[in-house]
mmCIF file of all heavy atoms in Angstrom:
data_model
loop_
_atom_site.group_PDB
_atom_site.id
_atom_site.type_symbol
_atom_site.label_atom_id
_atom_site.label_comp_id
_atom_site.label_asym_id
_atom_site.label_seq_id
_atom_site.Cartn_x
_atom_site.Cartn_y
_atom_site.Cartn_z
ATOM 1 N N ALA J 22 24.369 54.629 -61.334
ATOM 2 C CA ALA J 22 25.805 54.801 -61.070
ATOM 3 C C ALA J 22 26.237 53.865 -59.939
ATOM 4 O O ALA J 22 27.323 53.275 -59.974
ATOM 5 C CB ALA J 22 26.096 56.249 -60.744
ATOM 6 N N PHE J 23 25.404 53.768 -58.902
ATOM 7 C CA PHE J 23 25.706 52.894 -57.750
ATOM 8 C C PHE J 23 25.785 51.446 -58.195
ATOM 9 O O PHE J 23 26.701 50.710 -57.780
ATOM 10 C CB PHE J 23 24.652 53.079 -56.682
ATOM 11 C CG PHE J 23 24.848 52.137 -55.504
ATOM 12 C CD1 PHE J 23 25.796 52.428 -54.513
ATOM 13 C CD2 PHE J 23 24.120 50.953 -55.412
ATOM 14 C CE1 PHE J 23 26.009 51.531 -53.455
ATOM 15 C CE2 PHE J 23 24.323 50.083 -54.346
ATOM 16 C CZ PHE J 23 25.250 50.388 -53.377
ATOM 17 N N GLU J 24 24.853 51.019 -59.042
ATOM 18 C CA GLU J 24 24.843 49.614 -59.501
ATOM 19 C C GLU J 24 26.056 49.311 -60.395
ATOM 20 O O GLU J 24 26.633 48.214 -60.322
ATOM 21 C CB GLU J 24 23.551 49.336 -60.248
ATOM 22 C CG GLU J 24 22.322 49.293 -59.349
ATOM 23 C CD GLU J 24 21.016 49.206 -60.130
ATOM 24 O OE1 GLU J 24 20.956 49.731 -61.267
ATOM 25 O OE2 GLU J 24 20.052 48.626 -59.600
ATOM 26 N N LYS J 25 26.421 50.266 -61.222
ATOM 27 C CA LYS J 25 27.598 50.073 -62.075
ATOM 28 C C LYS J 25 28.851 49.877 -61.208
ATOM 29 O O LYS J 25 29.683 49.010 -61.474
ATOM 30 C CB LYS J 25 27.796 51.245 -63.001
ATOM 31 C CG LYS J 25 26.731 51.396 -64.082
ATOM 32 C CD LYS J 25 26.894 52.716 -64.844
ATOM 33 C CE LYS J 25 25.757 52.894 -65.848
ATOM 34 N NZ LYS J 25 25.838 54.213 -66.540
ATOM 35 N N GLU J 26 28.987 50.697 -60.195
ATOM 36 C CA GLU J 26 30.149 50.613 -59.300
ATOM 37 C C GLU J 26 30.129 49.266 -58.555
ATOM 38 O O GLU J 26 31.173 48.639 -58.345
ATOM 39 C CB GLU J 26 30.108 51.754 -58.300
ATOM 40 C CG GLU J 26 31.340 51.780 -57.376
ATOM 41 C CD GLU J 26 31.330 52.965 -56.442
ATOM 42 O OE1 GLU J 26 30.526 53.894 -56.652
ATOM 43 O OE2 GLU J 26 32.163 52.965 -55.507
ATOM 44 N N GLU J 27 28.942 48.831 -58.172
ATOM 45 C CA GLU J 27 28.797 47.551 -57.468
ATOM 46 C C GLU J 27 29.258 46.387 -58.345
ATOM 47 O O GLU J 27 29.968 45.491 -57.888
ATOM 48 C CB GLU J 27 27.330 47.348 -57.068
ATOM 49 C CG GLU J 27 27.088 46.059 -56.305
ATOM 50 C CD GLU J 27 25.606 45.834 -56.007
ATOM 51 O OE1 GLU J 27 24.778 46.640 -56.443
ATOM 52 O OE2 GLU J 27 25.295 44.819 -55.345
ATOM 53 N N VAL J 28 28.877 46.402 -59.619
ATOM 54 C CA VAL J 28 29.250 45.332 -60.545
ATOM 55 C C VAL J 28 30.769 45.336 -60.784
ATOM 56 O O VAL J 28 31.405 44.283 -60.745
ATOM 57 C CB VAL J 28 28.519 45.494 -61.895
ATOM 58 C CG1 VAL J 28 29.042 44.477 -62.905
ATOM 59 C CG2 VAL J 28 27.011 45.317 -61.705
ATOM 60 N N GLU J 29 31.349 46.511 -61.027
ATOM 61 C CA GLU J 29 32.785 46.555 -61.283
ATOM 62 C C GLU J 29 33.597 46.157 -60.064
ATOM 63 O O GLU J 29 34.651 45.541 -60.170
ATOM 64 C CB GLU J 29 33.178 47.960 -61.773
ATOM 65 C CG GLU J 29 32.574 48.312 -63.107
ATOM 66 C CD GLU J 29 33.512 49.056 -64.027
ATOM 67 O OE1 GLU J 29 34.736 48.852 -63.922
ATOM 68 O OE2 GLU J 29 33.021 49.832 -64.873
ATOM 69 N N THR J 30 33.137 46.489 -58.869
ATOM 70 C CA THR J 30 33.781 46.074 -57.629
ATOM 71 C C THR J 30 33.714 44.567 -57.482
ATOM 72 O O THR J 30 34.720 43.917 -57.085
ATOM 73 C CB THR J 30 33.118 46.737 -56.418
ATOM 74 O OG1 THR J 30 33.229 48.155 -56.529
ATOM 75 C CG2 THR J 30 33.799 46.306 -55.118
ATOM 76 N N TYR J 31 32.606 44.005 -57.823
ATOM 77 C CA TYR J 31 32.410 42.537 -57.757
ATOM 78 C C TYR J 31 33.400 41.839 -58.722
ATOM 79 O O TYR J 31 34.054 40.850 -58.344
ATOM 80 C CB TYR J 31 30.962 42.195 -58.143
ATOM 81 C CG TYR J 31 30.687 40.715 -58.317
ATOM 82 C CD1 TYR J 31 30.396 39.910 -57.229
ATOM 83 C CD2 TYR J 31 30.719 40.122 -59.569
ATOM 84 C CE1 TYR J 31 30.130 38.538 -57.396
ATOM 85 C CE2 TYR J 31 30.474 38.777 -59.764
ATOM 86 C CZ TYR J 31 30.180 37.985 -58.660
ATOM 87 O OH TYR J 31 29.937 36.657 -58.838
ATOM 88 N N VAL J 32 33.508 42.359 -59.948
ATOM 89 C CA VAL J 32 34.407 41.762 -60.940
ATOM 90 C C VAL J 32 35.872 41.885 -60.503
ATOM 91 O O VAL J 32 36.631 40.942 -60.597
ATOM 92 C CB VAL J 32 34.207 42.427 -62.312
ATOM 93 C CG1 VAL J 32 35.279 41.977 -63.294
ATOM 94 C CG2 VAL J 32 32.821 42.114 -62.860
ATOM 95 N N LEU J 33 36.225 43.047 -59.987
ATOM 96 C CA LEU J 33 37.618 43.272 -59.542
ATOM 97 C C LEU J 33 37.951 42.314 -58.407
ATOM 98 O O LEU J 33 39.087 41.800 -58.328
ATOM 99 C CB LEU J 33 37.799 44.722 -59.095
ATOM 100 C CG LEU J 33 39.213 45.124 -58.695
ATOM 101 C CD1 LEU J 33 40.192 44.877 -59.857
ATOM 102 C CD2 LEU J 33 39.277 46.582 -58.256
ATOM 103 N N LYS J 34 37.014 42.069 -57.530
ATOM 104 C CA LYS J 34 37.239 41.131 -56.420
ATOM 105 C C LYS J 34 37.515 39.715 -56.978
ATOM 106 O O LYS J 34 38.363 39.001 -56.438
ATOM 107 C CB LYS J 34 35.998 41.099 -55.512
ATOM 108 C CG LYS J 34 36.182 40.221 -54.273
ATOM 109 C CD LYS J 34 34.955 40.306 -53.367
ATOM 110 C CE LYS J 34 35.118 39.421 -52.141
ATOM 111 N NZ LYS J 34 33.912 39.474 -51.247
ATOM 112 N N LYS J 35 36.817 39.338 -58.036
ATOM 113 C CA LYS J 35 37.053 38.027 -58.655
ATOM 114 C C LYS J 35 38.427 37.968 -59.326
ATOM 115 O O LYS J 35 39.059 36.913 -59.399
ATOM 116 C CB LYS J 35 35.961 37.770 -59.707
ATOM 117 C CG LYS J 35 34.572 37.551 -59.147
ATOM 118 C CD LYS J 35 34.466 36.177 -58.506
ATOM 119 C CE LYS J 35 33.049 35.864 -58.076
ATOM 120 N NZ LYS J 35 32.930 34.522 -57.438
ATOM 121 N N LEU J 36 38.895 39.114 -59.823
ATOM 122 C CA LEU J 36 40.181 39.160 -60.519
ATOM 123 C C LEU J 36 41.378 39.182 -59.573
ATOM 124 O O LEU J 36 42.488 38.822 -59.959
ATOM 125 C CB LEU J 36 40.247 40.421 -61.409
ATOM 126 C CG LEU J 36 39.439 40.398 -62.695
ATOM 127 C CD1 LEU J 36 39.358 41.821 -63.266
ATOM 128 C CD2 LEU J 36 40.086 39.477 -63.734
ATOM 129 N N MET J 37 41.156 39.605 -58.325
ATOM 130 C CA MET J 37 42.271 39.861 -57.414
ATOM 131 C C MET J 37 43.205 38.683 -57.203
ATOM 132 O O MET J 37 44.451 38.855 -57.182
ATOM 133 C CB MET J 37 41.740 40.358 -56.069
ATOM 134 C CG MET J 37 41.279 41.817 -56.111
ATOM 135 S SD MET J 37 42.517 42.977 -56.766
ATOM 136 C CE MET J 37 43.787 42.847 -55.504
ATOM 137 N N PRO J 38 42.731 37.438 -57.039
ATOM 138 C CA PRO J 38 43.656 36.318 -56.855
ATOM 139 C C PRO J 38 44.612 36.158 -58.048
ATOM 140 O O PRO J 38 45.807 35.888 -57.869
ATOM 141 C CB PRO J 38 42.728 35.098 -56.720
ATOM 142 C CG PRO J 38 41.459 35.657 -56.171
ATOM 143 C CD PRO J 38 41.312 36.988 -56.858
ATOM 144 N N GLU J 39 44.097 36.329 -59.267
ATOM 145 C CA GLU J 39 44.921 36.230 -60.479
ATOM 146 C C GLU J 39 45.940 37.382 -60.525
ATOM 147 O O GLU J 39 47.089 37.216 -60.906
ATOM 148 C CB GLU J 39 44.072 36.242 -61.742
ATOM 149 C CG GLU J 39 43.164 35.018 -61.878
ATOM 150 C CD GLU J 39 43.932 33.774 -62.275
ATOM 151 O OE1 GLU J 39 45.120 33.896 -62.646
ATOM 152 O OE2 GLU J 39 43.344 32.683 -62.164
ATOM 153 N N ILE J 40 45.481 38.574 -60.162
ATOM 154 C CA ILE J 40 46.363 39.742 -60.171
ATOM 155 C C ILE J 40 47.467 39.583 -59.148
ATOM 156 O O ILE J 40 48.647 39.871 -59.411
ATOM 157 C CB ILE J 40 45.566 41.042 -59.880
ATOM 158 C CG1 ILE J 40 44.547 41.314 -61.010
ATOM 159 C CG2 ILE J 40 46.506 42.242 -59.718
ATOM 160 C CD1 ILE J 40 43.643 42.497 -60.764
ATOM 161 N N LYS J 41 47.143 39.088 -57.965
ATOM 162 C CA LYS J 41 48.141 38.887 -56.945
ATOM 163 C C LYS J 41 49.198 37.880 -57.365
ATOM 164 O O LYS J 41 50.395 38.052 -57.116
ATOM 165 C CB LYS J 41 47.465 38.419 -55.629
ATOM 166 C CG LYS J 41 46.686 39.501 -54.909
ATOM 167 C CD LYS J 41 46.019 38.981 -53.644
ATOM 168 C CE LYS J 41 45.264 40.070 -52.925
ATOM 169 N NZ LYS J 41 44.572 39.578 -51.702
ATOM 170 N N ALA J 42 48.740 36.805 -58.027
ATOM 171 C CA ALA J 42 49.666 35.768 -58.492
ATOM 172 C C ALA J 42 50.641 36.347 -59.529
ATOM 173 O O ALA J 42 51.847 36.084 -59.474
ATOM 174 C CB ALA J 42 48.882 34.595 -59.078
ATOM 175 N N ALA J 43 50.106 37.145 -60.444
ATOM 176 C CA ALA J 43 50.953 37.744 -61.492
ATOM 177 C C ALA J 43 51.918 38.763 -60.889
ATOM 178 O O ALA J 43 53.084 38.850 -61.284
ATOM 179 C CB ALA J 43 50.082 38.397 -62.564
ATOM 180 N N SER J 44 51.430 39.503 -59.927
ATOM 181 C CA SER J 44 52.265 40.509 -59.259
ATOM 182 C C SER J 44 53.424 39.861 -58.525
ATOM 183 O O SER J 44 54.563 40.322 -58.619
ATOM 184 C CB SER J 44 51.398 41.326 -58.279
ATOM 185 O OG SER J 44 52.194 42.246 -57.549
ATOM 186 N N LYS J 45 53.149 38.793 -57.813
ATOM 187 C CA LYS J 45 54.208 38.095 -57.071
ATOM 188 C C LYS J 45 55.218 37.459 -58.036
ATOM 189 O O LYS J 45 56.422 37.499 -57.772
ATOM 190 C CB LYS J 45 53.593 37.035 -56.160
ATOM 191 C CG LYS J 45 52.919 37.596 -54.912
ATOM 192 C CD LYS J 45 52.470 36.514 -53.974
ATOM 193 C CE LYS J 45 51.898 37.098 -52.687
ATOM 194 N NZ LYS J 45 52.922 37.855 -51.944
ATOM 195 N N ALA J 46 54.718 36.894 -59.111
ATOM 196 C CA ALA J 46 55.612 36.239 -60.082
ATOM 197 C C ALA J 46 56.560 37.245 -60.714
ATOM 198 O O ALA J 46 57.775 36.994 -60.832
ATOM 199 C CB ALA J 46 54.786 35.535 -61.157
ATOM 200 N N LYS J 47 56.024 38.384 -61.124
ATOM 201 C CA LYS J 47 56.859 39.448 -61.719
ATOM 202 C C LYS J 47 57.840 39.992 -60.714
ATOM 203 O O LYS J 47 59.016 40.244 -61.042
ATOM 204 C CB LYS J 47 55.959 40.560 -62.241
ATOM 205 C CG LYS J 47 56.722 41.669 -62.968
ATOM 206 C CD LYS J 47 57.314 41.182 -64.285
ATOM 207 C CE LYS J 47 57.910 42.318 -65.081
ATOM 208 N NZ LYS J 47 58.502 41.869 -66.350
ATOM 209 N N SER J 48 57.382 40.175 -59.459
ATOM 210 C CA SER J 48 58.250 40.730 -58.419
ATOM 211 C C SER J 48 59.411 39.791 -58.103
ATOM 212 O O SER J 48 60.525 40.253 -57.869
ATOM 213 C CB SER J 48 57.429 40.998 -57.149
ATOM 214 O OG SER J 48 56.412 41.957 -57.384
ATOM 215 N N ARG J 49 59.129 38.515 -58.109
ATOM 216 C CA ARG J 49 60.205 37.542 -57.848
ATOM 217 C C ARG J 49 61.193 37.539 -59.013
ATOM 218 O O ARG J 49 62.411 37.404 -58.809
ATOM 219 C CB ARG J 49 59.617 36.147 -57.666
ATOM 220 C CG ARG J 49 58.984 35.895 -56.328
ATOM 221 C CD ARG J 49 58.777 34.413 -56.087
ATOM 222 N NE ARG J 49 57.911 33.802 -57.076
ATOM 223 C CZ ARG J 49 56.596 33.678 -56.965
ATOM 224 N NH1 ARG J 49 56.008 34.117 -55.861
ATOM 225 N NH2 ARG J 49 55.888 33.126 -57.896
ATOM 226 N N LYS J 50 60.676 37.664 -60.223
ATOM 227 C CA LYS J 50 61.530 37.631 -61.404
ATOM 228 C C LYS J 50 62.564 38.737 -61.388
ATOM 229 O O LYS J 50 63.729 38.545 -61.748
ATOM 230 C CB LYS J 50 60.647 37.774 -62.674
ATOM 231 C CG LYS J 50 60.825 36.643 -63.672
ATOM 232 C CD LYS J 50 59.934 36.882 -64.876
ATOM 233 C CE LYS J 50 60.147 35.747 -65.896
ATOM 234 N NZ LYS J 50 59.356 35.990 -67.110
ATOM 235 N N VAL J 51 62.138 39.940 -60.986
ATOM 236 C CA VAL J 51 63.036 41.091 -60.999
ATOM 237 C C VAL J 51 63.541 41.458 -59.600
ATOM 238 O O VAL J 51 64.156 42.505 -59.407
ATOM 239 C CB VAL J 51 62.353 42.311 -61.652
ATOM 240 C CG1 VAL J 51 62.044 42.053 -63.106
ATOM 241 C CG2 VAL J 51 61.087 42.710 -60.910
ATOM 242 N N GLU J 52 63.219 40.589 -58.635
ATOM 243 C CA GLU J 52 63.724 40.713 -57.256
ATOM 244 C C GLU J 52 63.381 42.077 -56.626
ATOM 245 O O GLU J 52 64.220 42.830 -56.170
ATOM 246 C CB GLU J 52 65.238 40.509 -57.227
ATOM 247 C CG GLU J 52 65.653 39.099 -57.682
ATOM 248 C CD GLU J 52 67.141 38.843 -57.558
ATOM 249 O OE1 GLU J 52 67.867 39.744 -57.085
ATOM 250 O OE2 GLU J 52 67.580 37.762 -57.890
ATOM 251 N N LEU J 53 62.076 42.395 -56.605
ATOM 252 C CA LEU J 53 61.623 43.637 -55.989
ATOM 253 C C LEU J 53 61.569 43.443 -54.474
ATOM 254 O O LEU J 53 61.254 42.362 -53.996
ATOM 255 C CB LEU J 53 60.216 43.990 -56.484
ATOM 256 C CG LEU J 53 60.070 44.394 -57.964
ATOM 257 C CD1 LEU J 53 58.603 44.742 -58.250
ATOM 258 C CD2 LEU J 53 60.961 45.565 -58.308
ATOM 259 N N SER J 54 61.849 44.494 -53.745
ATOM 260 C CA SER J 54 61.728 44.463 -52.290
ATOM 261 C C SER J 54 60.251 44.430 -51.931
ATOM 262 O O SER J 54 59.366 44.646 -52.791
ATOM 263 C CB SER J 54 62.352 45.700 -51.676
ATOM 264 O OG SER J 54 61.647 46.871 -52.062
ATOM 265 N N TYR J 55 59.929 44.191 -50.644
ATOM 266 C CA TYR J 55 58.543 44.096 -50.220
ATOM 267 C C TYR J 55 57.803 45.389 -50.513
ATOM 268 O O TYR J 55 56.657 45.383 -51.026
ATOM 269 C CB TYR J 55 58.486 43.777 -48.714
ATOM 270 C CG TYR J 55 57.088 43.727 -48.167
ATOM 271 C CD1 TYR J 55 56.282 42.599 -48.323
ATOM 272 C CD2 TYR J 55 56.544 44.841 -47.495
ATOM 273 C CE1 TYR J 55 54.981 42.576 -47.844
ATOM 274 C CE2 TYR J 55 55.257 44.811 -46.998
ATOM 275 C CZ TYR J 55 54.492 43.674 -47.179
ATOM 276 O OH TYR J 55 53.187 43.644 -46.692
ATOM 277 N N GLU J 56 58.453 46.526 -50.208
ATOM 278 C CA GLU J 56 57.817 47.816 -50.402
ATOM 279 C C GLU J 56 57.579 48.106 -51.894
ATOM 280 O O GLU J 56 56.486 48.571 -52.297
ATOM 281 C CB GLU J 56 58.679 48.943 -49.823
ATOM 282 C CG GLU J 56 58.783 48.929 -48.296
ATOM 283 C CD GLU J 56 59.790 47.904 -47.802
ATOM 284 O OE1 GLU J 56 60.532 47.320 -48.651
ATOM 285 O OE2 GLU J 56 59.846 47.663 -46.584
ATOM 286 N N ARG J 57 58.580 47.793 -52.741
ATOM 287 C CA ARG J 57 58.428 48.037 -54.168
ATOM 288 C C ARG J 57 57.403 47.079 -54.791
ATOM 289 O O ARG J 57 56.686 47.450 -55.726
ATOM 290 C CB ARG J 57 59.762 47.902 -54.864
ATOM 291 C CG ARG J 57 60.792 48.951 -54.409
ATOM 292 C CD ARG J 57 62.137 48.704 -55.057
ATOM 293 N NE ARG J 57 62.121 49.077 -56.471
ATOM 294 C CZ ARG J 57 62.798 48.448 -57.410
ATOM 295 N NH1 ARG J 57 63.542 47.409 -57.102
ATOM 296 N NH2 ARG J 57 62.737 48.852 -58.659
ATOM 297 N N GLU J 58 57.316 45.874 -54.270
ATOM 298 C CA GLU J 58 56.328 44.914 -54.753
ATOM 299 C C GLU J 58 54.925 45.435 -54.495
ATOM 300 O O GLU J 58 54.020 45.307 -55.342
ATOM 301 C CB GLU J 58 56.516 43.572 -54.074
ATOM 302 C CG GLU J 58 55.485 42.509 -54.521
ATOM 303 C CD GLU J 58 55.649 41.183 -53.803
ATOM 304 O OE1 GLU J 58 56.722 40.957 -53.224
ATOM 305 O OE2 GLU J 58 54.701 40.380 -53.866
ATOM 306 N N ALA J 59 54.731 46.066 -53.336
ATOM 307 C CA ALA J 59 53.415 46.596 -52.995
ATOM 308 C C ALA J 59 53.012 47.713 -53.969
ATOM 309 O O ALA J 59 51.852 47.801 -54.417
ATOM 310 C CB ALA J 59 53.400 47.115 -51.553
ATOM 311 N N LEU J 60 53.980 48.587 -54.292
ATOM 312 C CA LEU J 60 53.726 49.663 -55.236
ATOM 313 C C LEU J 60 53.398 49.142 -56.637
ATOM 314 O O LEU J 60 52.473 49.616 -57.311
ATOM 315 C CB LEU J 60 54.907 50.616 -55.302
ATOM 316 C CG LEU J 60 55.196 51.429 -54.049
ATOM 317 C CD1 LEU J 60 56.520 52.185 -54.187
ATOM 318 C CD2 LEU J 60 54.050 52.424 -53.778
ATOM 319 N N PHE J 61 54.178 48.144 -57.063
ATOM 320 C CA PHE J 61 53.932 47.536 -58.379
ATOM 321 C C PHE J 61 52.556 46.876 -58.411
ATOM 322 O O PHE J 61 51.837 46.976 -59.408
ATOM 323 C CB PHE J 61 55.030 46.519 -58.679
ATOM 324 C CG PHE J 61 54.723 45.664 -59.882
ATOM 325 C CD1 PHE J 61 54.655 46.238 -61.157
ATOM 326 C CD2 PHE J 61 54.489 44.303 -59.760
ATOM 327 C CE1 PHE J 61 54.366 45.452 -62.280
ATOM 328 C CE2 PHE J 61 54.189 43.529 -60.874
ATOM 329 C CZ PHE J 61 54.139 44.116 -62.133
ATOM 330 N N HIS J 62 52.206 46.202 -57.320
ATOM 331 C CA HIS J 62 50.917 45.521 -57.255
ATOM 332 C C HIS J 62 49.764 46.517 -57.471
ATOM 333 O O HIS J 62 48.793 46.254 -58.185
ATOM 334 C CB HIS J 62 50.758 44.826 -55.916
ATOM 335 C CG HIS J 62 49.404 44.232 -55.705
ATOM 336 N ND1 HIS J 62 48.960 43.092 -56.340
ATOM 337 C CD2 HIS J 62 48.350 44.625 -54.916
ATOM 338 C CE1 HIS J 62 47.709 42.804 -55.986
ATOM 339 N NE2 HIS J 62 47.331 43.723 -55.109
ATOM 340 N N GLU J 63 49.881 47.686 -56.818
ATOM 341 C CA GLU J 63 48.832 48.730 -56.971
ATOM 342 C C GLU J 63 48.698 49.164 -58.426
ATOM 343 O O GLU J 63 47.577 49.344 -58.924
ATOM 344 C CB GLU J 63 49.158 49.910 -56.061
ATOM 345 C CG GLU J 63 49.027 49.612 -54.584
ATOM 346 C CD GLU J 63 49.411 50.809 -53.747
ATOM 347 O OE1 GLU J 63 49.646 51.896 -54.335
ATOM 348 O OE2 GLU J 63 49.486 50.690 -52.510
ATOM 349 N N LEU J 64 49.821 49.346 -59.097
ATOM 350 C CA LEU J 64 49.780 49.753 -60.493
ATOM 351 C C LEU J 64 49.159 48.676 -61.370
ATOM 352 O O LEU J 64 48.418 48.969 -62.306
ATOM 353 C CB LEU J 64 51.187 50.085 -60.980
ATOM 354 C CG LEU J 64 51.713 51.482 -60.710
ATOM 355 C CD1 LEU J 64 53.153 51.599 -61.222
ATOM 356 C CD2 LEU J 64 50.845 52.533 -61.390
ATOM 357 N N LEU J 65 49.472 47.409 -61.071
ATOM 358 C CA LEU J 65 48.949 46.306 -61.872
ATOM 359 C C LEU J 65 47.444 46.209 -61.689
ATOM 360 O O LEU J 65 46.704 45.943 -62.657
ATOM 361 C CB LEU J 65 49.607 44.989 -61.462
ATOM 362 C CG LEU J 65 49.150 43.748 -62.234
ATOM 363 C CD1 LEU J 65 49.322 43.933 -63.735
ATOM 364 C CD2 LEU J 65 49.892 42.504 -61.756
#
């Protein structure tokens, strides 16, 4: 279980730059405030 969690954490860390880019692009498109952008980012 520990090793599985370690692998998924590693993969998520690799994905984070792409997720952040998509989150910012979507937030700019719909003009989200800083606070709302943070909430949307967490959901994404």
Side-chain angles (χ1 to χ4, degrees):
F23 176 79
E24 289 172 331
K25 292 173 184 176
E26 183 177 349
E27 181 185 3
V28 173
E29 295 221 29
T30 300
Y31 172 85
V32 171
L33 185 58
K34 184 177 179 180
K35 291 286 186 180
L36 285 166
M37 284 308 294
E39 294 287 347
I40 296 175
K41 287 179 179 178
S44 176
K45 285 187 176 296
K47 184 68 174 179
S48 298
R49 284 196 300 268
K50 236 180 178 183
V51 296
E52 298 184 1
L53 293 181
S54 65
Y55 177 80
E56 292 79 9
R57 295 176 73 214
E58 179 181 343
L60 292 173
F61 169 65
H62 174 74
E63 290 177 8
L64 276 177
L65 180 57

